[in-house]
Amino acid sequence: VEKQLQVISVLQWVLSFLVLGVACSVILMYTFCTDCWLIAVLYFTWLAFDWNTPKKGGRRSQWVRNWAVWRYFRDYFPIQLVKTHNLLTTRNYIFGYHPHGIMGLGAFCNFSTEATEVSKKFPGIRPYLATLAGNFRMPVLREYLMSGGICPVNRDTIDYLLSKNGSGNAIIIVVGGAAESLSSMPGKNAVTLKNRKGFVKLALRHGADLVPTYSFGENEVYKQVIFEEGSWGRWVQKKFQKYIGFAPCIFHGRGLFSSDTWGLVPYSKPITTVVGEPITVPKLEHPTQKDIDLYHAMYMEALVKLFDNHKTKFGLPETEVLEVN
């Protein structure tokens, strides 16, 4: 029974991630055409007044973050959060999370719930997991995301949290984004980072320390069809990524009732998220490209070092190398 509860807890999140926003949009539009149209009118009126709330950190709910369902979610894989250094509550932070995987399951469980006790491991630190801004245009889904402390990954939101929300804020950015998800596959440890420097510029503008974070096992939980560069499949994926913001991956996990069948439930592979040592960043209102390149290089070096120092503890051979693209 416990194992089935774990499977159901994971499946509800996967379905929420994939279809909740679209399903709620369709239902509300349909409600306009029924005798219950007033419900839809009231919600959209509320939505208009509440439109900018996600940009100001949203409405985190400790009750939602502590739901029992997230503990079943954690135990299914299982997911573990490893702390290597203390974080000062007098500073703000930008965590670079790697790799993206298909859905960033480790990022969600560790930083948008209390299943791995992030608040106890980093007392006084408020984590905000940043995701696509388009998700916050979806009715009901936006409320669900905000309750976990999830915010849009755009400049306005990050500027607000790092300048007008006091100290002790930690914004978790999955740096590789959609491009990285396209190369996610079991047995591969690769990150898209060399040309991703926007998060470093934001850190410099606000004097927020950079924290490299690597999730061992994030790429193991789904199998994906990888299209070669130049193929029609990769062309379609890149067009979606460019104009819509996400890349449609063709992937599968296990079935609901059996691990021998295909389905949307991820495979139960351990995910261990290791939070590295913060890199102290000065506050520069107008950082130069030289400044950005310097701290970006420091960040890449720290991430590779973090990977090398912990890889053998989590089942990887000493010869395994982190591929930085």
Side-chain angles (χ1 to χ4, degrees):
V1 171
E2 185 172 355
K3 187 63 179 178
Q4 287 303 315
L5 287 172
Q6 291 173 3
V7 171
I8 292 169
S9 71
V10 174
L11 182 61
Q12 68 82 24
W13 165 246
V14 171
L15 293 177
S16 298
F17 180 88
L18 294 175
V19 302
L20 180 61
V22 173
C24 290
S25 298
V26 171
I27 291 170
L28 278 170
M29 294 306 295
Y30 171 75
T31 306
F32 268 121
C33 305
T34 69
D35 292 339
C36 298
W37 60 269
L38 185 58
I39 296 174
V41 169
L42 290 173
Y43 181 81
F44 279 112
T45 302
W46 153 257
L47 193 61
F49 281 103
D50 195 56
W51 190 252
N52 289 322
T53 298
K55 296 179 182 179
K56 297 180 179 180
R59 278 185 303 276
R60 160 189 320 257
S61 167
Q62 288 302 118
W63 176 65
V64 173
R65 287 174 61 90
N66 282 284
W67 276 353
V69 68
W70 306 132
R71 294 192 288 275
Y72 286 110
F73 184 102
R74 171 200 65 198
D75 293 340
Y76 170 79
F77 296 94
I79 294 174
Q80 182 183 5
L81 179 65
V82 176
K83 168 187 173 180
T84 62
H85 290 80
N86 291 324
L87 299 181
L88 299 175
T89 57
T90 55
R91 301 284 293 174
N92 284 323
Y93 301 91
I94 292 181
F95 285 34
Y97 183 91
H98 313 269
H100 184 287
I102 298 295
M103 294 186 185
L105 294 167
F108 169 77
C109 184
N110 285 310
F111 300 112
S112 293
T113 80
E114 292 297 329
T116 55
E117 300 185 326
V118 62
S119 294
K120 292 182 180 179
K121 290 177 179 176
F122 298 103
I125 302 297
R126 293 181 299 276
Y128 294 90
L129 177 60
T131 188
L132 290 175
N135 289 324
F136 296 89
R137 301 187 186 101
M138 299 283 191
V140 182
L141 175 63
R142 69 191 293 276
E143 324 298 339
Y144 193 28
L145 296 177
M146 285 193 291
S147 67
I150 301 178
C151 66
V153 61
N154 57 36
R155 180 172 170 176
D156 289 345
T157 304
I158 295 172
D159 282 345
Y160 179 89
L161 291 173
L162 295 181
S163 64
K164 299 178 181 178
N165 201 45
S167 60
N169 301 291
I171 301 173
I172 297 88
I173 300 177
V174 186
V175 178
E180 195 171 83
S181 68
L182 294 177
S183 61
S184 172
M185 60 185 295
K188 186 171 184 178
N189 288 286
V191 297
T192 301
L193 181 58
K194 283 184 178 178
N195 296 317
R196 301 293 175 102
K197 300 181 181 181
F199 73 106
V200 177
K201 184 177 181 180
L202 284 168
L204 284 164
R205 288 182 62 242
H206 295 285
D209 294 349
L210 291 167
V211 183
T213 306
Y214 196 86
S215 259
F216 295 89
E218 185 72 63
N219 285 342
E220 308 298 316
V221 296
Y222 279 114
K223 295 179 181 178
Q224 180 183 187
V225 177
I226 304 293
F227 294 101
E228 297 295 330
E229 289 292 339
S231 66
W232 67 269
R234 182 52 65 97
W235 180 85
V236 170
Q237 287 176 324
K238 286 189 172 181
K239 288 298 181 183
F240 263 83
Q241 178 189 336
K242 180 178 180 180
Y243 294 110
I244 300 179
F246 73 94
C249 302
I250 299 178
F251 65 92
H252 74 84
R254 50 157 288 181
L256 178 59
F257 301 107
S258 171
S259 59
D260 297 325
T261 58
W262 287 10
L264 289 175
V265 180
Y267 294 104
S268 54
K269 303 290 185 180
I271 299 175
T272 305
T273 303
V274 184
V275 179
E277 181 178 4
I279 301 168
T280 303
V281 175
K283 185 175 181 179
L284 304 173
E285 189 173 345
H286 301 289
T288 65
Q289 191 60 48
K290 184 177 179 180
D291 296 325
I292 296 169
D293 291 342
L294 172 63
Y295 282 92
H296 184 263
M298 290 171 62
Y299 179 87
M300 286 200 298
E301 182 181 352
L303 179 65
V304 172
K305 182 180 178 181
L306 179 71
F307 178 85
D308 289 339
N309 287 347
H310 292 87
K311 60 187 177 184
T312 56
K313 300 175 187 176
F314 306 116
L316 296 177
E318 186 64 47
T319 55
E320 183 72 19
V321 176
L322 178 62
E323 180 184 330
V324 182
N325 300 312

